[in-house]
Amino acid sequence: MILHIVQYSAAQDNALATSLRYIQPQDTLLLMGDGINSLLQRKWQATLSDTQVCLLEQDVVARGLQTRLGQYQQLSQAEFVQCTLTHSKVITW
């Protein structure tokens, strides 16, 4: 079980697209920083619909996107740390 962390928006960087080549069904994708902006695009919402996606709550709040991204699991800082400990490997893209 791998935790894949993407920090950059798909509009700025290819990290999200690259990570999707390696994500397995049991893996988790964590979007943080500008990476959460990718979910504002329908293309990425559809592409990630079968992927376990979670967001760093403080980054969602900082961008005022709580309502628009409310359907995604949002992790507090403590939950994020716990998530890194429950996965066998963490990869930051």
Side-chain angles (χ1 to χ4, degrees):
M1 220 169 51
I2 299 174
L3 175 62
H4 299 266
I5 301 173
V6 175
Q7 304 177 62
Y8 302 103
S9 170
Q12 300 171 312
D13 192 271
N14 67 349
L16 181 56
T18 302
S19 70
L20 292 178
R21 288 189 235 156
Y22 300 96
I23 289 179
Q24 299 296 311
Q26 70 276 11
D27 294 347
T28 302
L29 174 65
L30 171 65
L31 299 177
M32 59 190 312
D34 287 338
I36 65 168
N37 293 335
S38 301
L39 292 174
L40 298 176
Q41 299 174 20
R42 285 196 176 113
K43 170 192 173 186
W44 289 108
Q45 291 172 4
T47 301
L48 297 172
S49 64
D50 293 332
T51 304
Q52 183 179 341
V53 177
C54 52
L55 313 173
L56 192 60
E57 181 181 42
Q58 69 184 25
D59 292 332
V60 174
V61 171
R63 289 159 179 78
L65 297 173
Q66 302 93 308
T67 303
R68 291 187 68 187
L69 300 177
Q71 70 271 31
Y72 297 97
Q73 179 184 6
Q74 297 180 26
L75 303 179
S76 67
Q77 200 66 28
E79 291 168 325
F80 165 59
V81 171
Q82 186 61 36
C83 193
T84 64
L85 298 173
T86 59
H87 287 75
S88 59
K89 190 174 190 179
V90 178
I91 300 174
T92 302
W93 298 92

